[in-house]
Amino acid sequence: MISDNLNIIIRELSSEENVPYNLLLLADPEKEMIDEYLESSRVYVAILNDTAIGAYVLYPLSNSSVEIKNIAVKEEHQNKGIGKILLSDAIREAKEKRFQSICIGTANSSIAQLYLYQKAGFEVTAIKRNFFIDNYALPIYENGIQAKHMIMLSKEI
Ligand code: ACO
């Protein structure tokens, strides 16, 4: 719904506001992992009618490189182009903060995410083999495929 998308405001979450775990847990099922990277990250939220319906998290890896650690859209708002808007906002924000490259990691089983990121110009740069087996308590399946490896994708900005 393009008209709804026009009414979306994306802004950084302030330190006084509650972290939107309901959104972040859609992209990362373990709260401990989320809390670890939130300590040194900036959180951005997409607001529609006073409600956070999407979020992304930027985590600096160095002075020149930043990682999107989490990107998520509330289930009922998915597949309406909001993920694409969040991704391009993350790229814009990273550029504005003077990073030279931005990266994102997703599972080998995350077909829609691999599509979305490559369409936005990210290219596969590394594979963290067995990442999901080694770091998550329970096996994860998506699209009938086990999430085993983390595919890292990067984009020069
Ligand atoms: N297979 C292929 N392409 C798909 C699929 C699919 N199953 N589903 C959607 N797409 C396409 C859409 O058609 C669209 O393509 P187009 O630009 O050619 O029209 C494109 O993907 C982007 O669609 P959006 O509507 O912008 O994406 P959405 O708003 O649904 O957001 C997101 C994508 C963030 C991945 C959302 O689905 C989500 O929150 N998923 C759950 C959490 C998640 O998996 N987050 C990412 C984990 S990795 C990380 O956080 C670093």
Side-chain angles (χ1 to χ4, degrees):
M1 282 197 295
I2 302 296
S3 57
D4 260 6
N5 289 354
L6 290 177
N7 292 325
I8 289 171
I9 291 164
I10 302 176
R11 62 163 177 82
E12 189 174 350
L13 197 74
S14 79
S15 53
E16 292 86 51
E17 292 179 288
N18 292 330
V19 172
Y21 282 110
N22 62 323
L23 290 168
L24 302 185
L25 285 164
L26 295 173
D28 196 335
E30 288 196 5
K31 185 169 176 293
E32 293 75 29
M33 301 272 280
I34 295 174
D35 284 335
E36 232 170 80
Y37 57 69
L38 282 188
E39 278 183 21
S40 26
S41 298
R42 290 172 186 267
V43 179
Y44 297 82
V45 283
I47 307 285
L48 177 67
N49 301 331
D50 293 330
T51 306
I53 57 149
Y56 69 85
V57 175
L58 288 184
Y59 173 85
L61 298 170
S62 68
N63 286 340
S64 61
S65 171
V66 69
E67 179 172 349
I68 303 172
K69 277 284 189 187
N70 194 310
I71 181 164
V73 174
K74 219 173 182 177
E75 276 108 334
E76 60 264 41
H77 293 281
Q78 288 177 8
N79 291 316
K80 296 176 185 171
I82 299 167
K84 215 158 47 172
I85 293 171
L86 284 177
L87 193 59
S88 64
D89 194 74
I91 295 166
R92 182 204 53 72
E93 183 68 15
K95 255 189 213 171
E96 197 180 292
K97 294 275 183 293
R98 308 242 178 257
F99 291 103
Q100 285 146 29
S101 73
I102 184 164
C103 71
I104 191 161
T106 195
N108 58 284
S109 50
S110 300
I111 305 301
Q113 291 79 349
L114 286 166
Y115 170 88
L116 173 66
Y117 306 153
Q118 290 180 90
K119 213 163 166 212
F122 286 78
E123 290 190 14
V124 175
T125 43
I127 298 177
K128 296 182 183 172
R129 287 191 63 79
N130 296 320
F131 179 88
F132 291 93
I133 293 172
D134 295 343
N135 292 285
Y136 289 82
L138 296 171
I140 302 167
Y141 282 85
E142 296 173 293
N143 305 302
I145 303 166
Q146 185 173 4
K148 292 184 182 175
H149 317 298
M150 174 83 88
I151 314 285
M152 295 303 304
L153 303 102
S154 300
K155 180 181 168 74
E156 298 306 309
I157 53 177

